[in-house]
Amino acid sequence: MKNSNHTTEFILLGLSDHLEHQKILFMLFLFTYIITLLADVTIITLIKIDHELDSPMYFFLSHFSFVDICVLTITVPKLLANLMSDRKSISFSACITQLYFFLHIENMEFFLLASMAYDRYVAICHPLQYTTKVNKRVCVQLVASSWVITAAHALLHTLMTSQLSFCGSNQIHHFFCDVPPLLKLSCSSTFINELVIFIEGGVMLLGPFLFIVASYVGIISAILKIRSTNGRGKTFSTCSSHFTLVALFYSSIVIMYFRPSTNFALEYERVVSVVYSIFIPMANPFIYSLRNKDIKRALQKVVRSRSMSCRM
């Protein structure tokens, strides 16, 4: 795939120009990447092997962990390679491919968060109807339709970006190929691209977000009816941590994609990108899954089983 001016490669300038900073960032991102992969793989494995975790909530959590693995794998390995390389190049076709998969997988998080919020809403607010409203068929339909919708969304923006002309500098002030830095680099009109981002992208972002907010409003109103102060406190603690992460995720996306075209410092833009593309996926397994008592119980069961087999 080539654009109209036959640009063959881009240079990803990354997060820092200082060599000492690059070494520190390499060690930091490598360590957190490995830890997060281990955490997500552990969650998926536990949900797969423990029959007591065979429920809609853990079905969504396993897919959520898989999506987090994909998001990090799309961006972090290339970032790590560039931090240790003098020439931080990426071919035009590889850049467009990375852009497509990042948009596809990143938007899957919106829909999975909405599905998980719906699951918790029905479980807390309508427990007697839970088995009928959130059964296996409904879960599969929600996840499958989310994959299709996000694939179409990613394809639309990837094709539109690939048709832009890049006739000037090929240096991307970013650590991966994303829409905003590529639009800045283009020497052709990006008005249609920006219009589609605000209209179609806005619907893709706002739809799941409003659904999540409505679900949490229902959950909070149900929590307030709980007589037990201890039970109310535990539920509030869980919901607040979830919603804080959701708010951080959405706010960083809005800042990056939906802010006005003003002079926004490149350093701040990179920091915001790190938040939604690396920090949030790394935090997700520890906020949504590893704090869960059932996941902890399943992990303890596996550890005890392994320790007993080693003794024998």
Side-chain angles (χ1 to χ4, degrees), residues 6 17 21 24 34 51 70 74 82 85 102 113 115 131 133 136 145 147 160 178 181 211-212 245 261 280 302-303 311:
H6 304 291
D17 299 325
H21 293 170
I24 295 172
I34 292 172
H51 297 295
C70 292
I74 289 167
N82 285 346
S85 173
F102 179 77
L113 286 169
S115 299
T131 54
K133 286 190 173 184
K136 189 171 184 178
S145 59
W147 280 110
M160 292 185 66
D178 201 1
F211 192 86
I212 292 169
L245 209 58
S261 298
I280 297 294
V302 170
V303 172
R311 290 174 185 175

Side-chain angles (χ1 to χ4, degrees), residues 69-216:
I69 291 173
C70 292
V71 170
L72 292 173
T73 304
I74 289 167
T75 57
V76 175
K78 184 61 178 176
L79 170 61
L80 294 174
N82 285 346
L83 285 171
M84 290 290 102
S85 173
D86 293 329
R87 182 164 176 79
K88 310 173 190 303
S89 62
I90 183 171
S91 68
F92 181 83
S93 57
C95 181
I96 293 301
T97 302
Q98 185 184 50
L99 174 66
Y100 170 79
F101 282 106
F102 179 77
L103 292 175
H104 185 186
I105 302 299
E106 187 75 1
N107 280 274
M108 264 302 293
E109 294 213 336
F110 301 154
F111 286 84
L112 283 175
L113 286 169
S115 299
M116 290 161 61
Y118 171 71
D119 172 74
R120 291 300 83 205
Y121 168 76
V122 177
I124 293 173
C125 301
H126 304 283
L128 297 179
Q129 302 175 33
Y130 184 74
T131 54
T132 57
K133 286 190 173 184
V134 192
N135 52 45
K136 189 171 184 178
R137 182 176 60 85
V138 172
C139 294
V140 171
Q141 288 176 344
L142 285 172
V143 172
S145 59
S146 297
W147 280 110
V148 173
I149 293 170
T150 54
H153 164 80
L155 184 62
L156 170 65
H157 290 279
T158 303
L159 288 176
M160 292 185 66
T161 304
S162 68
Q163 297 306 308
L164 294 174
S165 298
F166 300 95
C167 50
S169 171
N170 69 337
Q171 294 184 340
I172 301 178
H173 292 271
H174 212 44
F175 60 93
F176 70 97
C177 291
D178 201 1
V179 174
L182 286 172
L183 293 185
K184 285 184 178 180
L185 207 62
S186 174
C187 57
S188 56
S189 173
T190 59
F191 173 76
I192 299 299
N193 299 70
E194 293 174 1
L195 185 64
V196 172
I197 288 174
F198 273 94
I199 297 175
E200 188 272 344
V203 171
M204 285 286 292
L205 183 74
L206 194 60
F209 181 70
L210 291 177
F211 192 86
I212 292 169
V213 171
S215 299
Y216 274 99

